[in-house]
Amino acid sequence: MNTTVAHNARVWNHWLGGKDNYEVDRKVGDHIQGMFPLIADVARADRAFLKRAVAHLAGEAGIRQYLDIGTGLPSADNTHQVAQRIASDSHIVYVDNDPLVLTHARALLTSSPLGRTDYVEADARHPNEILRAASRTLNFQSPVAVMLLGILNFIPDTAEATDIVKQLVEAIPSGSYVVISHPTTELDGEANREAMAFWNDNATPPITARSGDEIAAFVDGLEVIEPGIVSCARWRNPDESEPSVPQYGLVARKP
């Protein structure tokens, strides 16, 4: 574990008000927040989007299986907590490759008695490895929700990122869902671009912003449900007073 270079999972934890981070993470995170004050709102909006998306899937859509890739450090309202509050028999597999995430996942990501939660240590660039390991817990003959929140932006090559999503979609049956959140520079000004450049010079892994059209291409052939590809702060959020953030969110169904 390299504690001399800021890491996304730990900086994100800092922006969410958590304690699982180091001085270097706080320094970089605070500097970026000084450049782009909205970044803490982005972190909170992304977490709230996860909560609303999973609540919809577990409730209205009736999904009982979740593959959460790029878990990050545990926070309030993790995927299994939201899903199992609505359907206690839900099965969730978390995937990440950060050793600090692994340590906390083993300690904190516990399941309800009727459900099941597992953790897979793997890189998002290896979807086949993820799918094999997840099959210990998930039945890929029944609908699965694949959660890709804030992870595809760490795959710099768009063709590779698109292929990763394609392989995951091919492995899940009709009636399954894909949930994506992804940073963009379309919804803000120059400050966000400068903050991303600072991140790429001072932290790991490097981040890549994408346009709405590029993000739409990830789910080509799927049915993007209402309200479409929007700021994650606006996705089915009844509180219209919350600021829009430069992070797209979408939920798409496999026909």
Side-chain angles (χ1 to χ4, degrees):
M1 187 185 305
N2 188 350
T3 61
T4 65
V5 177
H7 188 277
N8 175 71
R10 303 190 304 258
V11 176
W12 199 256
N13 174 266
H14 172 55
W15 285 332
L16 287 170
K19 304 298 183 184
D20 298 315
N21 48 74
Y22 297 102
E23 182 179 2
V24 65
D25 305 308
R26 294 187 288 274
K27 280 186 174 181
V28 169
D30 290 346
H31 187 87
I32 289 175
Q33 192 166 359
M35 298 174 69
F36 185 59
L38 198 61
I39 190 61
D41 291 322
V42 172
R44 288 189 290 268
D46 191 78
R47 175 59 55 166
F49 167 66
L50 180 151
K51 182 178 179 180
R52 294 193 302 273
V54 173
H56 166 76
L57 294 172
E60 184 178 335
I63 299 297
R64 298 294 177 264
Q65 301 189 105
Y66 301 82
L67 179 57
D68 188 332
I69 302 174
T71 303
L73 287 161
S75 183
D77 290 323
N78 301 289
T79 297
H80 75 287
Q81 293 166 322
V82 179
Q84 291 181 349
R85 276 200 297 266
I86 296 169
S88 60
D89 59 341
S90 296
H91 287 202
I92 297 89
V93 173
Y94 291 101
V95 182
D96 212 302
N97 66 343
D98 182 274
L100 185 61
V101 175
L102 175 62
T103 300
H104 285 270
R106 286 173 173 163
L108 300 179
L109 301 183
T110 55
S111 175
S112 68
L114 295 179
R116 188 175 174 189
T117 302
D118 195 10
Y119 183 91
V120 172
E121 185 177 13
D123 193 303
R125 292 177 175 84
H126 304 142
N128 288 330
E129 177 185 335
I130 290 170
L131 291 165
R132 282 195 300 270
S135 66
R136 298 191 305 255
T137 303
L138 305 179
N139 174 11
F140 285 98
Q141 303 306 308
S142 297
V144 177
V146 178
M147 313 290 293
L148 296 165
L149 274 66
I151 184 64
L152 295 173
N153 42 282
F154 296 120
I155 311 294
D157 184 271
T158 299
E160 182 184 6
T162 303
D163 187 61
I164 288 169
V165 180
K166 180 181 179 181
Q167 290 182 63
L168 293 168
V169 169
E170 287 176 347
I172 56 180
S174 175
S176 295
Y177 287 81
V178 174
V179 183
I180 294 174
S181 69
H182 196 295
T184 183
T185 56
E186 291 184 331
L187 305 178
D188 54 36
E190 186 62 27
N192 192 22
R193 295 180 181 87
E194 294 174 353
M196 287 185 185
F198 178 85
W199 172 271
N200 289 344
D201 288 340
N202 294 276
T204 189
I207 192 169
T208 299
R210 291 188 171 95
S211 68
D213 288 344
E214 289 174 314
I215 294 165
F218 290 145
V219 291
D220 185 40
L222 305 186
E223 300 170 351
V224 179
I225 69 172
E226 293 295 332
I229 301 173
V230 297
S231 168
C232 65
R234 291 284 177 263
W235 196 90
R236 300 197 177 191
N237 186 359
D239 186 358
E240 297 181 356
S241 67
E242 290 190 18
S244 178
V245 298
Q247 181 104 331
Y248 280 125
L250 72 88
V251 177
R253 181 181 183 275
K254 183 175 180 179

